[in-house]
Amino acid sequence: MAGHIGLGRGLVAVLSLVACLSCAAAGGRSGGGEARQRLEVRRHLKRLNKTPVKSITSPDGDIIDCVHVSHQPAFDHPFLKNHTIQMRPTFHPEGLFDENKVTSQRKSPSIAQLWHQNGRCPEDTIPIRRTSRDDVLRASSVKRYGRKKHRSTPNPLSVDPDLLNESGHQHAIAYVEGDKYYGAKATINVWQPKTQQPNEFSLSQLWILGGSFGEDLNSIEAGWQVSPDLYGDNNTRLFTYWTSDAYQATGCYNLLCSGFIQINNAIAMGASIYPISNYDGSQYDINILVWKDPKEGNWWMQFGNGYVLGYWPSFLFSYLADSASMIEWGGEVVNSEPDGEHTSTEMGSGHFPEEGFSKASYFRNIQIVDGSNNLRAPKGIGAFTEQSNCYDVQNGNNGEWGQYFYYGGPGRNSYCP
């Protein structure tokens, strides 16, 4: 009997092989390429999606996997094989907690992530947004999945107008440079800007930069983004990014490669932020702080008033292993010039800074961390935008908001054809 079953299986295998060959033939010569791509995608998903202790389905369709903290993607990095996880920073920046006391008395509405409505991850795990096959297939290649395109950091010091639009990225930012910086903080107004094309994005973030804007730029970035290409929808999502070679071969968004080590079980990188601001209605904002631990040298990130998310080990970087030489805050969009016109992808709220509170998007209480690990107001802030008729920026300063700016715009309009 066993022999017959074996024979049956053999026959099925042969028939399915013939069927596969015939469908490959029917599909023309691309069959081999497709099979290879399928295998590559499967392998990549296996690398990214670690075995969870528990999974939570978010109302927006995301699956959040609760993965044991020691099994996260960071530990695939050869230099992190025997790494002892630092479960808390040795130092927080001075001046952080005084400010939190003030904000907790004011009780601003709290922001959470959408998946919290359906559950939480247990202790000793971290929440990771599961990557789907479709996510990877939307990328230009498996290798480029989860990466920004080359040269997407705004260089306000560049005077060459041809350079400004070469990458199709446009910005409206405030920045400081000319000193050594050990961190940055901001409270960022959260919106859901519209993107015109699926391959365009709109984000609002802070950049911590070291090195030149050539091939060796080091960057740590954090904020919120709308990116249909990366996530398959138009939700506003929390994100981080890092690179140590100007977006060429190193770094990625969120936990989509080995690098960032997460220790927090409540916040998922890349998950939807909820709620978001309404034009002329309720306003919501998020606090983001990134700072360099003066003892261990790692770059830590905190979200909100108490969620210390984790850190980028300092060995990932060259210049940032020491300090940053420029900090930027603001918005970035991709302008792919559909039909030869400027994109109508919005930045911020999609409205110009002049409209002010509850209509234009803002960054407030922007601060830097100095060499003595103190949070303080930045000196000599500059503002930069490539085309102020498309997206603009306006700095200001007052008691409650400290250094702030409004930024953004609608993209294409009669003055921005």
Side-chain angles (χ1 to χ4, degrees):
M1 194 68 186
H4 289 292
I5 292 171
L7 185 68
R9 278 193 189 134
L11 191 60
V12 169
V14 170
L15 286 175
S16 44
L17 180 64
V18 170
C20 280
L21 289 174
S22 61
C23 59
R29 296 180 185 188
S30 63
E34 277 174 22
R36 203 164 40 249
Q37 190 198 29
R38 270 202 303 276
L39 183 64
E40 206 185 343
V41 168
R42 222 179 13 249
R43 279 191 183 140
H44 200 59
L45 288 174
K46 198 161 182 250
R47 255 198 312 274
L48 289 175
N49 295 325
K50 306 299 183 188
T51 308
V53 171
K54 169 184 176 181
S55 296
I56 296 160
T57 303
S58 172
D60 60 1
D62 277 359
I63 296 173
I64 303 295
D65 286 328
C66 306
V67 173
H68 194 275
V69 68
S70 59
H71 297 162
Q72 62 183 295
F75 297 113
D76 294 341
H77 196 293
F79 289 4
L80 290 171
K81 287 287 181 240
N82 301 314
H83 180 81
T84 305
I85 303 177
Q86 204 184 331
M87 286 315 280
R88 61 184 58 81
T90 326
F91 295 99
H92 278 81
E94 297 293 326
L96 183 62
F97 297 107
D98 320 341
E99 185 187 309
N100 288 354
K101 281 186 206 119
V102 178
T103 38
S104 60
Q105 283 156 11
R106 256 209 327 273
K107 275 283 178 276
S108 54
S110 79
I111 275 203
Q113 291 190 307
L114 211 45
W115 65 274
H116 290 167
Q117 294 174 12
N118 290 342
R120 295 289 177 128
C121 282
E123 290 293 310
D124 296 327
T125 69
I126 64 160
I128 303 181
R129 178 186 180 269
R130 187 183 299 176
T131 299
S132 71
R133 192 166 161 266
D134 289 346
D135 287 340
V136 180
L137 290 175
R138 279 191 305 273
S140 57
S141 72
V142 172
K143 208 170 161 188
R144 293 303 304 166
Y145 171 63
R147 301 199 158 167
K148 275 194 185 185
K149 294 193 172 51
H150 192 24
R151 286 198 201 285
S152 68
T153 302
N155 180 2
L157 310 179
S158 161
V159 285
D160 179 356
D162 294 338
L163 260 180
L164 296 180
N165 268 327
E166 112 180 282
S167 63
H169 287 242
Q170 289 195 303
H171 309 87
I173 60 160
Y175 69 95
V176 287
E177 51 97 27
D179 202 348
K180 285 187 163 194
Y181 307 100
Y182 296 86
K185 183 173 189 288
T187 300
I188 312 174
N189 200 190
V190 180
W191 293 84
Q192 187 175 17
K194 291 187 186 65
T195 55
Q196 186 182 337
Q197 307 277 107
N199 64 338
E200 296 179 330
F201 64 60
S202 181
L203 55 75
S204 298
Q205 65 169 70
L206 53 83
W207 286 260
I208 291 177
L209 302 168
S212 68
F213 283 85
E215 306 297 300
D216 61 356
L217 183 74
N218 287 200
S219 183
I220 289 175
E221 308 171 23
W224 59 257
Q225 70 182 154
V226 172
S227 178
D229 232 11
L230 190 57
Y231 303 106
D233 61 25
N234 297 303
N235 291 357
T236 303
R237 294 166 174 276
L238 174 72
F239 83 95
T240 58
Y241 199 91
W242 70 274
T243 177
S244 61
D245 63 355
Y247 309 96
Q248 295 173 91
T250 60
C252 59
Y253 282 110
N254 307 327
L255 302 179
L256 296 176
C257 65
S258 305
F260 187 82
I261 296 174
Q262 184 160 334
I263 57 163
N264 183 287
N265 69 339
I267 300 293
M269 303 283 202
S272 301
I273 297 173
Y274 177 84
I276 48 177
S277 305
N278 290 304
Y279 184 80
D280 213 7
S282 305
Q283 296 304 297
Y284 298 93
D285 51 28
I286 56 174
N287 281 321
I288 287 186
L289 164 67
V290 175
W291 82 101
K292 196 174 201 311
D293 182 332
K295 183 163 181 275
E296 302 288 338
N298 301 323
W299 287 90
W300 284 81
M301 174 172 167
Q302 179 171 303
F303 172 77
N305 283 342
Y307 296 113
V308 174
L309 295 194
Y311 58 95
W312 290 271
S314 100
F315 76 78
L316 295 172
F317 305 102
S318 49
Y319 297 98
L320 288 179
D322 173 51
S323 61
S325 51
M326 183 183 258
I327 307 286
E328 299 176 346
W329 300 264
E332 175 183 6
V333 299
V334 174
N335 171 26
S336 60
E337 298 193 341
D339 312 321
E341 299 177 304
H342 193 287
T343 181
S344 59
T345 286
E346 300 171 338
M347 182 191 290
S349 68
H351 292 260
F352 284 116
E354 306 62 278
E355 292 196 42
F357 185 72
S358 86
K359 298 181 173 72
S361 187
Y362 61 78
F363 277 61
R364 63 181 172 89
N365 301 106
I366 64 176
Q367 292 174 297
I368 56 104
V369 179
D370 66 15
S372 314
N373 199 33
N374 286 308
L375 268 171
R376 58 176 176 78
K379 286 192 181 71
I381 293 190
F384 168 79
T385 178
E386 288 93 348
Q387 288 176 276
S388 57
N389 293 337
C390 309
Y391 311 105
D392 205 3
V393 56
Q394 281 182 3
N395 289 346
N397 196 343
N398 70 29
E400 197 173 355
W401 277 23
Q403 301 264 20
Y404 69 88
F405 61 90
Y406 284 99
Y407 70 101
R412 187 169 72 237
N413 63 72
S414 49
Y415 300 103
C416 169

